[in-house]
């Protein structure tokens, strides 16, 4: 499922647009015991309740593709009768009304899902009468097919925080009654996939809130899908190899990591401009070596890192976009600006020393600087090397007085 496919289904999870007909669930405690189950007609829910359920369902389709959202393929063993893929097909086809199938699914998940928290399993059933679209993306009233699917969510349930509240019946402030609150979706899935606006029974879309440590046991043991690494796992693995090669104690390591990510970003920009599209830029081992060498690493280190990365993630192709993050690029831009500012400060100090305005330690001698009134607004303050400094843009019209003698700047 690409971004457009995901967005098309997600847009339907609004109260005024949804055609979801059933919601069911199972509440599990920390001992893995089922506390309660429910199965309700979605159209019978009160508006506020339905809205909250839709918020949870929508979360299972949120996040960044290849990181929070991954499209997984079923193994051939799961596609045969009795496999999880066939079980999901039967669950979907029942419209979530078959309690035997539901209980079997709940028990399968409870037996394998790794958590010590209370949690809620939620399942939604919907069928979407997919409208036809013309080649210029105009939507028609005619339908191509009916996309029948289920959305699953696993939400932690935690005891509310202690506090004080007003007890109306007793007319007093007293300790708040603590209750169990359903939290944000931790893991989720959509089956089958909606690929190129059509049903795809051979893939399942999974969601993870924590892309660093996803619940892969849900994907493999509960859903029967072949797992993949998230972009976060790939990036952390790659940068970990660079850090190890350069040295964790090396004070230059943070700058090397920023240089590597900046060069990855520049590589993507150049490739996409050359190709004339925004498609992901897939990296080969030789590309990784070249980028690392451009970042200042030796050829032998670069080759070792690239080889180790290929061994770490042998089955997944890697796009360059997965190995850097926007925040790192922004930090690198700030680093460049700071470095440029520091160079300007050094240049200014040298000039002031030459003019006799400061001593060798950078201390101001006895200087009075007069700025033209029309340029006073240009004067500002800035923190440089941890000290608050006065920043005065210089002009040939500005003057300085040193020991009573007026000098031109």
């Amino acid at each position: 499922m690409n971004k457009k496919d995901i967005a098309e289904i997600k847009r339907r999870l609004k109260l005024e647009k949804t055609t979801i007909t059933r919601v069911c669930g199972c509440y599990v405690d920390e001992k893995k015991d089922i506390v309660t189950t429910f199965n309700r007609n979605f159209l019978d829910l009160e508006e506020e309740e339905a809205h909250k359920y839709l918020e949870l369902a929508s979360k299972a389709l949120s996040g960044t593709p290849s990181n929070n959202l991954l499209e997984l393929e079923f193994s051939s063993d799961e596609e045969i009768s009795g496999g999880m893929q066939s079980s999901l097909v039967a669950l979907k086809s029942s419209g979530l009304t078959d309690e035997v199938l539901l209980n079997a699914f709940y028990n399968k998940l409870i037996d394998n899902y790794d958590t010590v928290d209370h949690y809620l399993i939620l399942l939604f059933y919907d069928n979407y009468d997919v409208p036809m679209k013309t080649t210029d993306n105009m939507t028609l009233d005619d339908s191509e097919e009916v996309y029948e699917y289920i959305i699953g969510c696993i939400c932690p349930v935690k005891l509310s925080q202690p506090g004080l509240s007003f007890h109306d019946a007793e007319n007093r402030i007293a300790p708040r009654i603590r209750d169990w609150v359903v939290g944000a979706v931790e893991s989720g899935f959509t089956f089958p996939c909606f690929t190129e606006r059509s049903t795809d029974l051979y893939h399942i879309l999974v969601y993870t809130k924590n892309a660093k440590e996803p619940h892969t046991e849900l994907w493999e043991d509960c859903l029967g899908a072949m797992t993949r690494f998230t972009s976060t796992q790939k990036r952390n693995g790659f940068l970990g190899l660079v850090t190890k090669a350069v040295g964790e104690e090396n004070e230059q390591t943070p700058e090397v990591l920023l240089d590597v990510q900046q060069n990855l970003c520049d590589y993507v920009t150049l490739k996409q401009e050359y190709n004339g599209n925004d498609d992901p830029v897939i990296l080969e081992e030789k590309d990784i070596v070249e980028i690392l060498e451009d970042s200042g690493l030796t050829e032998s280190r670069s080759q070792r890192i690239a080889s180790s990365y290929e061994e770490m993630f042998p089955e997944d192709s890697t796009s360059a976009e997965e190995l850097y993050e926007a925040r790192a690029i922004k930090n690198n831009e700030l680093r460049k600006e700071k470095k440029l500012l520091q160079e300007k400060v050094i240049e200014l100090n040298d000039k002031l020393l030459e003019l006799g305005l400061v001593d060798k330690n950078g201390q101001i001698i006895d200087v009075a600087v007069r700025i033209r009134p029309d340029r006073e607004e240009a004067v500002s303050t800035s923190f440089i090397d941890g000290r608050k400094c006065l920043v005065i843009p210089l002009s040939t019209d500005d003057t300085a007085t040193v020991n009573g003698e007026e000098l031109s700047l």
Side-chain angles (χ1 to χ4, degrees):
M1 293 176 69
N2 57 35
K3 289 183 178 180
K4 286 185 178 180
D5 294 330
I6 295 169
E8 184 170 349
I9 299 303
K10 189 176 178 181
R11 281 195 298 268
R12 299 178 47 73
L13 302 177
K14 304 291 183 184
L15 204 56
E16 65 277 8
K17 294 183 178 180
T18 189
T19 56
I20 288 177
T21 56
R22 187 154 294 276
V23 57
C24 58
C26 172
Y27 175 38
V28 184
D29 65 17
E30 78 282 2
K31 297 178 182 179
K32 292 184 174 289
D33 292 331
I34 296 176
V35 178
T36 187
T37 61
F38 65 92
N39 195 328
R40 302 178 64 184
N41 186 329
F42 194 83
L43 301 177
D44 292 338
L45 299 178
E46 295 182 4
E47 184 174 323
E48 183 177 351
E49 186 179 9
H51 176 71
K52 292 299 180 182
Y53 276 124
L54 288 174
E55 281 186 350
L56 294 173
S58 179
K59 193 62 181 177
L61 286 162
S62 302
T64 307
S66 297
N67 198 42
N68 305 100
L69 291 170
L70 295 169
E71 185 177 298
L72 305 182
E73 186 177 359
F74 290 102
S75 66
S76 56
D77 292 340
E78 300 298 339
E79 295 175 10
I80 62 175
S81 178
M84 278 308 300
Q85 190 246 25
S86 62
S87 296
L88 288 169
V89 170
L91 198 62
K92 171 189 68 70
S93 300
S94 74
L96 301 182
T97 59
D98 189 321
E99 293 296 336
V100 174
L101 292 175
L102 284 169
N103 287 330
F105 178 80
Y106 295 152
N107 288 322
K108 179 79 171 178
L109 194 150
I110 292 168
D111 288 341
N112 292 282
Y113 196 67
D114 185 15
T115 183
V116 296
D117 292 329
H118 292 225
Y119 60 93
L120 176 66
I121 304 170
L122 283 176
L123 294 173
F124 301 86
Y125 170 79
D126 185 22
N127 51 62
Y128 173 33
D129 202 5
V130 184
M132 294 180 62
K133 285 192 175 183
T134 61
T135 54
D136 56 355
N137 212 33
M138 292 289 292
T139 301
L140 303 177
D141 291 334
D142 295 333
S143 173
E144 291 183 303
E145 67 170 277
V146 175
Y147 170 54
E148 186 183 14
Y149 65 102
I150 54 177
I151 295 176
C153 303
I154 301 176
C155 309
V157 180
K158 297 183 180 294
L159 197 60
S160 61
Q161 295 295 320
L164 297 175
S165 66
F166 176 67
H167 290 222
D168 187 49
E170 302 172 13
N171 194 33
R172 71 184 183 97
I173 301 296
R176 186 175 67 186
I177 299 174
R178 301 177 69 185
D179 55 0
W180 292 92
V181 180
V182 177
V185 178
E186 183 176 73
S187 302
F189 66 89
T190 302
F191 175 82
C193 276
F194 185 62
T195 304
E196 296 183 354
R197 308 190 70 243
S198 185
T199 300
D200 177 5
L201 290 170
Y202 301 101
H203 294 86
I204 183 170
L205 184 72
V206 296
Y207 164 82
T208 177
K209 180 181 179 182
N210 185 352
K212 185 178 180 181
E213 297 179 343
H215 282 273
T216 54
E217 76 280 0
L218 169 68
W219 307 345
E220 297 174 342
D221 302 327
C222 304
L223 302 175
M226 294 186 290
T227 190
R228 284 174 49 196
F229 292 103
T230 67
S231 297
T232 296
Q233 290 175 310
K234 292 180 181 180
R235 180 171 62 250
N236 289 347
F238 175 71
L239 296 180
L241 291 172
V242 176
T243 300
K244 184 178 179 181
V246 178
E248 293 184 7
E249 304 300 326
N250 191 330
E251 62 181 12
Q252 298 299 319
T253 298
E255 290 195 5
V256 172
L257 293 176
L258 286 174
D259 285 339
V260 169
Q261 293 190 80
Q262 183 66 61
N263 287 333
L264 281 164
C265 181
D266 295 342
Y267 182 80
V268 169
T269 301
L270 289 173
K271 282 289 186 179
Q272 290 181 340
E273 287 179 356
Y274 178 80
N275 295 332
N277 57 50
D278 295 330
D279 293 341
V281 178
I282 303 301
L283 289 175
E284 297 181 5
E285 187 172 327
K286 62 180 180 61
D287 301 321
I288 296 176
V289 172
E290 182 180 337
I291 290 168
L292 291 173
E293 289 182 357
D294 289 343
S295 303
L297 279 76
T298 63
E299 180 180 356
S300 60
R301 278 184 175 177
S302 300
Q303 186 63 57
R304 189 163 61 251
I305 292 170
S307 299
S308 298
Y309 180 80
E310 290 293 323
E311 292 175 4
M312 189 179 293
F313 304 102
E315 297 179 359
D316 280 10
S317 60
T318 298
S319 67
E321 295 93 329
E322 292 182 292
L323 300 186
Y324 70 85
E325 56 181 338
R327 183 172 58 182
I329 303 304
K330 184 176 181 180
N331 288 341
N332 198 37
E333 291 174 356
L334 293 174
R335 182 188 63 150
K336 289 181 178 179
E337 291 176 3
K338 180 181 178 181
K339 187 176 181 180
L340 182 60
L341 183 58
Q342 289 173 334
E343 291 173 352
K344 288 183 178 179
V345 169
I346 293 173
E347 182 182 345
L348 177 59
N349 281 336
D350 291 342
K351 187 172 184 179
L352 292 174
L353 181 62
E354 181 183 341
L355 294 171
L357 302 180
V358 297
D359 59 24
K360 292 182 178 181
N361 297 321
Q363 300 298 317
I364 297 176
I365 298 176
D366 183 14
V367 181
V369 180
R370 296 196 303 275
I371 306 296
R372 293 205 324 255
D374 62 320
R375 296 185 60 245
E376 289 179 355
E377 292 184 358
V379 178
S380 63
T381 59
S382 178
F383 281 93
I384 302 174
D385 292 333
R387 294 186 301 173
K388 191 173 183 180
C389 303
L390 187 67
V391 180
I392 306 173
L394 294 177
S395 168
T396 54
D397 295 332
D398 297 327
T399 60
T401 302
V402 179
N403 297 325
E405 181 180 353
E406 187 174 283
L407 299 175
S408 174
L409 297 177

